[in-house]
Amino acid sequence: MINKFGTAHWEGSLQEGTGTISTESGVLDGVQYGFNKRFEGEPGSNPEELVGAAHASCYSMALSMILGQHDATPEKIDTKATVSLEKDGDGFSVTKVHLDVTASVPGMDESKFMEAANAAKEGCPISKLYKGGTAEITMDAKLV
C-alpha cells in the first residue's frame, strides 16, 4: 500500500477566512487558498484545480502504461482536466471532469489509441474516485 498526504490549515469564516495547503513532497508548501481564490478568481489555489492536476497526471500515467502493454511508447501525452463545480441545493458539487488529451505515439493506429485512451479514462485511480458519485467524466482525445 502506498500512502501519500496533503494538509490544509484554515482560519476564520468561509468568506473572510484564509488557508494554506501543503503536500508531503513539499511541492506545495503553504500555498494560499480561500473563498476569493476559489469563487472570485483571485490568485492562489483551490480544490478544483488540485483535483484537476491530480486527475490529469494520473490519467497520463495510466495511458502510458496501457500503451506500453500494446508495445507502444508515447513521445508525449498532454492532458488537461477541467473540473466543473456547480451549485447543488444548499451547497456545491463537482458535476463533471472533462479530459482533453493529445498524444504523440509513433506507429500507433487511431482506433487502438482510442481504445487505450478510453481504458485509461475508466481505469486510472483518480477516475475511479468518481465512480458512483455525481461527477461525469468526459473526454476528447486525439493522436497527433
Side-chain angles (χ1 to χ4, degrees), residues 14 86-93:
L14 173 62
E86 294 186 44
K87 185 85 170 115
D88 179 19
D90 290 339
F92 288 85
S93 292

Side-chain angles (χ1 to χ4, degrees), residues 127-137:
S127 288
K128 290 178 181 180
L129 280 173
Y130 295 107
K131 291 195 190 261
T134 60
E136 171 191 16
I137 302 171

Side-chain angles (χ1 to χ4, degrees), residues 65-94:
M65 178 192 75
I66 293 167
L67 290 169
Q69 292 169 345
H70 295 281
D71 297 322
T73 302
E75 286 181 347
K76 66 177 183 171
I77 299 169
D78 293 306
T79 306
K80 176 183 177 182
T82 302
V83 177
S84 298
L85 181 70
E86 294 186 44
K87 185 85 170 115
D88 179 19
D90 290 339
F92 288 85
S93 292
V94 171

Side-chain angles (χ1 to χ4, degrees), residues 37-82:
K37 292 159 183 48
R38 189 175 194 184
F39 294 105
E40 297 172 0
E42 279 190 15
S45 191
N46 60 72
E48 290 72 37
E49 78 174 3
L50 296 171
V51 169
H55 201 172
S57 60
C58 184
Y59 173 86
S60 295
M61 291 176 75
L63 179 56
S64 178
M65 178 192 75
I66 293 167
L67 290 169
Q69 292 169 345
H70 295 281
D71 297 322
T73 302
E75 286 181 347
K76 66 177 183 171
I77 299 169
D78 293 306
T79 306
K80 176 183 177 182
T82 302

Side-chain angles (χ1 to χ4, degrees), residues 5-54:
F5 69 85
T7 63
H9 175 79
W10 185 263
E11 294 179 6
S13 68
L14 173 62
Q15 291 189 349
E16 288 80 31
T18 60
T20 58
I21 51 177
S22 300
T23 57
E24 177 180 6
S25 68
V27 171
L28 298 178
D29 186 15
V31 174
Q32 296 284 318
Y33 78 106
F35 184 89
N36 293 339
K37 292 159 183 48
R38 189 175 194 184
F39 294 105
E40 297 172 0
E42 279 190 15
S45 191
N46 60 72
E48 290 72 37
E49 78 174 3
L50 296 171
V51 169

